[in-house]
Amino acid sequence: MERKEISQAVVKRLPRYYRYLGELMESGVERISSNELSERMKVTASQIRQDLNNFGGFGQQGYGYNVKYLYTEIAKILGIDQNHNMIIIGAGNLGQAIANYANFEKRGFVVKGLFDVNPRLEGVTVRGIEIRNIDCMPEFIKEHNIEIAALTIPKAKAIEMAEQAVACGVKAIWNFAHTDLNLSPEIIVENVHLSESLMRISYNIAKMERNNK
Amino acid sequence: MERKEISQAVVKRLPRYYRYLGELMESGVERISSNELSERMKVTASQIRQDLNNFGGFGQQGYGYNVKYLYTEIAKILGIDQNHNMIIIGAGNLGQAIANYANFEKRGFVVKGLFDVNPRLEGVTVRGIEIRNIDCMPEFIKEHNIEIAALTIPKAKAIEMAEQAVACGVKAIWNFAHTDLNLSPEIIVENVHLSESLMRISYNIAKMERNNK
């Protein structure tokens, strides 16, 4: 079946559906109506029906959606029905936190290696994954078919490291460094700018205080 | 001066302006034209003029914008012209990574305390901040005028901890737990769902592969 492209707005909502459906499966729920799902997710039932119809998730009147079927379909669309090999560049606290988080692996994101410039970290293992010297990275990427590089280093070296990883064949950068990477457009860049996230909080606090005056 | 509310779309772009203006200041640049800024930020000059006009950042023809003025104005709008006291609930790798990141403090987000259930972590310090038992949290929030709680614990306890922090007066939750909190609407919740961020990457990899077939 030719799959028509799903709108970005729907794609953005899919991980949340996926999470709720996963929780339903864990609690043994096999079918759910759009109304029940609506109540749990605090989204209107008509929005749910519209979103899920996009990929053949047609609920049956009085019978509801097949939870497992939807879960599997969404996994396919999100590309998490297959494994993606990942490395982490920068084995500081944040890099180690990501390496330690076993749930990523359950969703198919397999951390194959951790790299750092700090020689004192070399040979240390995090959840069984060895920290290697950054000089070993290019060869490692090619040998292990790495698709994703998480960039958890300060901004000074971020662009250089990203370019190096891309030159070795990495398709996507998960960028935690506080800088824009400006890579070529066919490279996928997903930014996690934590300080921007904090600023949205302070903006909302300031706004709330203005409104309360 | 009465400040009219700025649209959410503009607000979302402000942290990025703030970052670029900060870098310009660091390199000693005092004035910049919308064209130069446009080239650096890869945004059209007309978008920049429109955005900055929202808060009186009027560039002068042939003279450009006053970098420091804009920087200060944006800081005010974003509420980072004043300090915000923060605690971190969960002193695992991620909690410690956040506590360690001194740059948040430069922007006014001051980590006052770290809390964990693990008794072995008690008394350990991260960047001079002591890890305390979670039972001390309620009193600590009240005593230290804590506005923001970062939630870096697994989802099982996340909702309970968030509710407890809110009951003690916290205004905003910076939620890293993989769950929705469903707090009362006047509480600010900023979600950082890392696995959703990863799924956007795998979605884009899968899409790229479909297109290349």
Side-chain angles (χ1 to χ4, degrees), chain B residues 67-120:
Chain B
V67 172
K68 196 179 172 185
Y69 172 80
L70 271 188
Y71 185 80
T72 315
E73 280 305 295
I74 292 178
K76 278 187 214 162
I77 297 168
L78 290 176
I80 46 180
D81 56 332
Q82 41 190 290
N83 279 355
H84 299 281
N85 290 342
M86 183 158 102
I87 57 167
I88 298 169
I89 307 176
N93 276 303
L94 184 58
Q96 294 199 22
I98 292 170
N100 251 317
Y101 196 58
N103 274 335
F104 294 150
E105 200 148 316
K106 279 192 212 151
R107 291 186 191 92
F109 301 96
V110 185
V111 179
K112 290 284 184 182
L114 268 159
F115 296 88
D116 207 282
V117 288
N118 183 347
R120 281 188 299 174

Side-chain angles (χ1 to χ4, degrees), chain B:
Chain B
M1 182 187 93
E2 186 87 7
R3 193 191 291 281
K4 73 170 199 287
E5 275 317 323
I6 293 165
S7 82
Q8 275 300 320
V10 177
V11 168
K12 257 189 109 167
R13 290 195 286 269
L14 287 183
R16 194 159 173 263
Y17 283 112
Y18 185 75
R19 173 155 53 90
Y20 273 88
L21 292 165
E23 285 171 6
L24 286 168
M25 274 172 63
E26 274 174 31
S27 18
V29 178
E30 289 177 10
R31 302 205 150 257
I32 192 161
S33 69
S34 50
N35 286 328
E36 283 170 277
L37 199 54
S38 152
E39 203 160 299
R40 278 173 184 258
M41 294 184 64
K42 322 276 178 210
V43 175
T44 65
S46 78
Q47 161 105 76
I48 289 177
R49 284 190 294 267
Q50 248 180 52
D51 282 353
L52 302 186
N53 282 357
N54 266 296
F55 44 93
F58 298 107
Q60 286 172 265
Q61 194 71 42
Y63 194 59
Y65 293 99
N66 180 321
V67 172
K68 196 179 172 185
Y69 172 80
L70 271 188
Y71 185 80
T72 315
E73 280 305 295
I74 292 178
K76 278 187 214 162
I77 297 168
L78 290 176
I80 46 180
D81 56 332
Q82 41 190 290
N83 279 355
H84 299 281
N85 290 342
M86 183 158 102
I87 57 167
I88 298 169
I89 307 176
N93 276 303
L94 184 58
Q96 294 199 22
I98 292 170
N100 251 317
Y101 196 58
N103 274 335
F104 294 150
E105 200 148 316
K106 279 192 212 151
R107 291 186 191 92
F109 301 96
V110 185
V111 179
K112 290 284 184 182
L114 268 159
F115 296 88
D116 207 282
V117 288
N118 183 347
R120 281 188 299 174
L121 287 173
E122 259 171 68
V124 173
T125 61
V126 180
R127 209 167 52 84
I129 308 152
E130 194 188 327
I131 302 177
R132 292 177 166 82
N133 186 285
I134 194 76
D135 297 335
C136 312
M137 186 186 75
E139 207 172 337
F140 191 95
I141 290 176
K142 291 173 200 158
E143 262 176 24
H144 292 83
N145 191 24
I146 302 298
E147 290 187 308
I148 304 170
L151 208 57
T152 52
I153 49 173
K155 69 175 176 183
K157 283 273 176 187
I159 293 172
E160 185 191 330
M161 285 296 120
E163 284 171 352
Q164 209 179 102
V166 164
C168 299
V170 152
K171 293 173 188 167
I173 303 282
W174 197 19
N175 179 36
F176 289 80
H178 197 50
T179 187
D180 294 329
L181 299 176
N182 297 323
L183 300 168
S184 80
E186 74 271 18
I187 301 301
I188 297 154
V189 176
E190 171 76 16
N191 292 309
V192 184
H193 288 325
L194 293 181
S195 39
E196 296 194 4
S197 175
L198 267 180
M199 288 182 203
R200 278 192 291 274
I201 291 181
S202 59
Y203 168 78
N204 282 306
I205 292 178
K207 187 175 151 190
M208 202 167 65
E209 283 167 359
R210 281 197 295 276
N211 292 342
N212 288 344
K213 256 177 205 157

Side-chain angles (χ1 to χ4, degrees), chain A residues 17 34-35 38 43-53:
Chain A
Y17 284 113
S34 50
N35 285 329
S38 152
V43 175
T44 66
S46 79
Q47 161 104 77
I48 287 176
R49 285 190 293 266
Q50 248 179 52
D51 282 353
L52 301 186
N53 282 358

